[in-house]
Structure formats: C-alpha cells, structure tokens
C-alpha cells in the first residue's frame, strides 16, 4: 500500500489481538551509517519503545518481540554480552513507562540461560507490572520454537510416565498448554522487517494461521506509520482458517 497511512484509516474493531514481530536489520542499519553493530541495536530499542506505545494505543492486546533467539548465543561473545547489557538496561529504564502505559511484561524462552542479573531484572519487571491490564508485551529471550517444542514433548512424556496425563488426552490444546506461550492467544499477524522472507524458528506452532507481513524496512527505521501500514494490510485480508470464502461471509453475516 502506497501513500500516507494514518491511525484514522484503521478499523478499531478489526485490530489483530496479537501481533508478533521479528525485529531484523539492526546490524545492516549500523553498517549503512558507518557505525558499529551495537549502535543498530541501540537504535532498535528506540523502535521498540515507539511501537510498543503505538500498539497499546491501537488497542492491541498482545505484542510479542523476538529480542534474542537461541541461535543468537552463537554470535561473537562481545556482541552477546553487549546485547544482554542493553536488554537489562532497557528493561530497568522502561519499567516506569510500562507502568504509566498500563503495560504488563511477560517473557517466553529459556530464561535460565540468561546471566543471573538479567534474569533478576526481568523477573522484577514482570512482578512490578503483573497488575497492569493493558497491552501484554511479550519478550522472546533465548527463544526458539524447536527448543520449545522439544521441551513440551519431554514434559508431556514425563507426565504420561507419572500418570498425570493420559496419552489419549494429548490433543492440540494439550500441546499449546505445554509451550512457553501457554495462556497467550496465537498471533494474528507476524511482521518481519529487513526484507528477509523467513520465520527463523519463531513461534512455528503458534503461527499456523497468522497473516504474514514482510517489509524491506530495517528495524531501526520502522516507524509508527510503517506499523499502521502493516495493520491496515492485515485488515484488508480475508482470514479463512481453511474454510471457503463463501462460508466466511456467511459466518460474518450471522455474527452481525
Ligand atoms: C536483529 O538484527 C536484532 C536482534 C538480534 C536483537 C534485537 C534487539 C533489540 C532491538 C534490542 C532490545 C529489545 C528489547 C525488547 C528491549 P540483526 O543484528 O540480526 O541485524 P542484521 O541482520 O542486519 O545483522
């Protein structure tokens, strides 16, 4: 969609309940500006701030951000350490803003792999914001979908062995409840910045019916208007969940 996009152009009744974002392109942004990679990540934090605010204002209920993947542990140690420090600093600094905007912080992923201070800061922020009733900001940390699925399978096997779960009771809901996203509705919209057309081990189970939106914009350049553009694009799509277009229209008429 070309041209200017404003908040007024969106239908507030058709907002996605859950938006997930793969924030990509910080390194390339830094390179283009002749800067070290960490400058890109720092600029990326500014984007996190404005998009979280815009999502809360737009009435979106869940915003999940892929901040650090299991595979990111393989980056040069210096970048890993600096990213951890940035995440911890950001959370400490932004807790007041989260409180002001009634945002509740949640995390998914293998938090136990994070440095103890980082675990502590995130836990504290989650506790402090636990009573907030607005947007749920879900940060994926040391997260990968295959890690999460293996963990869920192991947990279910162990429960079957102990008699807490019957094998014949394992259905889609049981699997969902064993993922780190238990209790969080599946994303309706996935946004990936920087022009890469991949899911990269992110929420593979949960994205089964999500609408996918890819933009060449690098994460530090991703503006609120670009975000609205993605939401507007989503609102123009027909979500069929495997049904025919005619069935979807009939369902909508019955609902109205
Ligand atoms: C991808 O860019 C980005 C990351 C791996 C980290 C994202 C982290 C932040 C934006 C920092 C803070 C986040 C929160 C939630 C406080 P890349 O380095 O893969 O970029 P490239 O593909 O251009 O190299």
């Amino acid at each position: 969609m070309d041209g200017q996009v404003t908040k007024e152009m969106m239908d507030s009744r058709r907002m996605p309940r859950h938006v997930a974002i793969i924030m990509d392109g910080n390194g390339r942004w830094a390179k283009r500006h002749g800067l070290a990679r960490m400058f890109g990540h720092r600029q990326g934090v500014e984007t996190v701030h404005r998009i979280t605010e815009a999502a809360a204002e737009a009435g979106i209920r869940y915003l999940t951000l892929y901040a650090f993947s299991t595979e990111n542990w393989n980056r040069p140690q210096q970048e890993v350490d600096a990213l951890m420090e940035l995440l911890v600093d950001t959370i400490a600094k932004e807790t007041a803003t989260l409180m002001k905007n009634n945002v509740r912080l949640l995390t998914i992923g293998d938090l136990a792999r994070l440095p103890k201070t980082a675990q502590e800061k995130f836990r504290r922020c989650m506790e402090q914001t636990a009573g907030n009733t607005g947007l749920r900001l879900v940060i994926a940390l040391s997260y990968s979908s295959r890690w999460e699925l293996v963990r869920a399978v192991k947990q279910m096997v162990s429960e079957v062995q102990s008699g807490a779960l019957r094998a014949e009771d394992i259905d889609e809901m049981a699997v969902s409840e064993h993922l780190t996203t238990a209790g969080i509705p599946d994303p309706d919209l996935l946004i990936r910045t920087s022009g890469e057309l991949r899911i990269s081990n992110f929420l593979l189970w949960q994205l089964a019916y999500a609408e996918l939106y890819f933009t060449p914009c690098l994460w530090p350049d991703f503006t609120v208007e670009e975000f609205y553009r993605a939401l507007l694009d989503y609102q123009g799509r027909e979500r069929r969940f495997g049904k025919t277009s005619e069935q979807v229209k009939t369902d909508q008429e019955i609902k109205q």
Side-chain angles (χ1 to χ4, degrees), residues 22-30 37 40-48 65-69 72 75 79 83 86-88 90-91 94 122 137-141 192 194 196 198 218-220:
I22 302 178
M23 313 178 283
D24 197 8
N26 293 348
R28 275 162 285 169
W29 182 92
R37 293 179 58 80
H41 294 314
R42 274 195 214 126
Q43 204 59 37
V45 171
E46 299 299 318
T47 310
V48 168
L65 303 177
Y66 206 2
F68 195 89
S69 71
N72 285 155
R75 290 196 174 191
E79 183 171 345
L83 260 172
L86 182 66
L87 284 164
V88 168
T90 306
I91 284 309
E94 296 284 333
F122 275 98
L137 175 63
V138 186
I139 309 284
L141 290 164
R192 181 172 189 151
S194 94
E196 308 291 349
R198 290 188 291 276
L218 303 176
W219 180 248

Side-chain angles (χ1 to χ4, degrees), residues 3 13 17 21 26 29 36 41 61 64 83 105 107 116 132 143 149 157 164 177 180 210 216 219 223 228 249 255:
R13 294 160 308 173
R17 183 161 56 151
I21 306 184
N26 293 348
W29 182 92
H41 294 314
R61 301 296 300 153
T64 298
L83 260 172
L105 183 86
T107 53
K116 283 276 172 304
N132 291 347
Y143 174 87
L149 286 164
V157 168
E177 282 167 2
T180 58
W219 180 248
T223 58
Y228 291 161
K249 288 196 179 92
K255 264 197 214 155

